[in-house]
Amino acid sequence: MKKSIAIALSACTLVAGLAACGNTADTTDKSSDTAVHQTQTKNEVGKVVETPNLDIQVKSVKSGYAESKDKNKQMLIVEIAAKNTSKIESGAGAADFRVKADNGKTYEVYGLESKNFGDAIAAGKTLVGKGYYEIPKGTKAVTFYYAPAGEKKGEWSLTVPAK
């Protein structure tokens, strides 16, 4: 009798141990969904990118219509601070940046917006201004690139805020 109780307890312990150590497909799917969600909501406002002549920071991101007349599009408004770290004058402007939307397409500065920033920056000084980029309505996330003369030198992952 003692022998059969010991065998039964051993069998139960073995089954319970194997069940506890197993991994189900549901657990794997939930963790990968969480990783995808975290990637989509990444927001690098405040991140400073250092280039040979400039330290560039995205200070804020807003969404709205601004000058756009197209109701299928929205205006992404990015405030940027560019500090000249070189010993000579340098320059920066909204046209030096590109936006890659979550639809995979890349958008340049909205040229009809007269408030786009751009100017020469004296050595050691900082230029702060806003760039306006027309993107598809409903865009949730973008990659914002600093690419003067088409050469990518920095990037930020940004969440597009609701209007």
Side-chain angles (χ1 to χ4, degrees):
M1 179 83 172
K2 288 183 182 179
K3 199 175 204 182
S4 62
I5 293 174
I7 291 173
L9 284 175
S10 295
C12 288
T13 304
L14 179 63
V15 170
L18 289 174
C21 293
N23 190 3
T24 66
D26 289 340
T27 304
T28 304
D29 289 342
K30 288 178 185 175
S31 64
S32 66
D33 287 346
T34 302
V36 169
H37 181 68
Q38 288 173 347
T39 301
Q40 292 173 346
T41 59
K42 185 176 183 182
N43 198 5
E44 295 180 321
V45 170
K47 173 183 163 184
V48 176
V49 171
E50 297 176 1
T51 70
N53 296 329
L54 300 171
D55 285 353
I56 304 168
Q57 179 183 32
V58 171
K59 295 182 70 68
S60 69
V61 179
K62 295 180 183 174
S63 179
Y65 288 104
E67 298 290 327
S68 179
K69 304 292 185 224
D70 188 341
K71 295 301 175 194
N72 292 322
K73 297 194 176 176
Q74 64 186 355
M75 196 65 67
L76 180 70
I77 305 161
V78 183
E79 184 178 18
I80 300 156
K83 180 178 182 180
N84 183 352
T85 57
S86 72
K87 294 180 180 182
I88 60 171
E89 184 177 83
S90 189
D96 294 329
F97 295 85
R98 310 280 183 276
V99 175
K100 184 174 182 180
D102 52 15
N103 67 0
K105 294 183 180 178
T106 302
Y107 300 89
E108 295 187 4
V109 66
Y110 184 68
L112 298 177
E113 177 56 67
S114 62
K115 295 180 254 179
N116 279 308
F117 87 102
D119 206 349
I121 310 168
K125 299 295 181 185
T126 301
L127 174 66
V128 177
K130 294 179 182 174
Y132 295 78
Y133 306 87
E134 191 176 52
I135 59 175
K137 184 177 181 180
T139 300
K140 304 282 185 219
V142 298
T143 303
F144 189 64
Y145 296 101
Y146 174 59
E151 181 185 346
K152 185 166 57 168
K153 295 186 176 186
E155 72 178 68
W156 297 258
S157 295
L158 302 174
T159 301
V160 177
K163 290 184 251 349

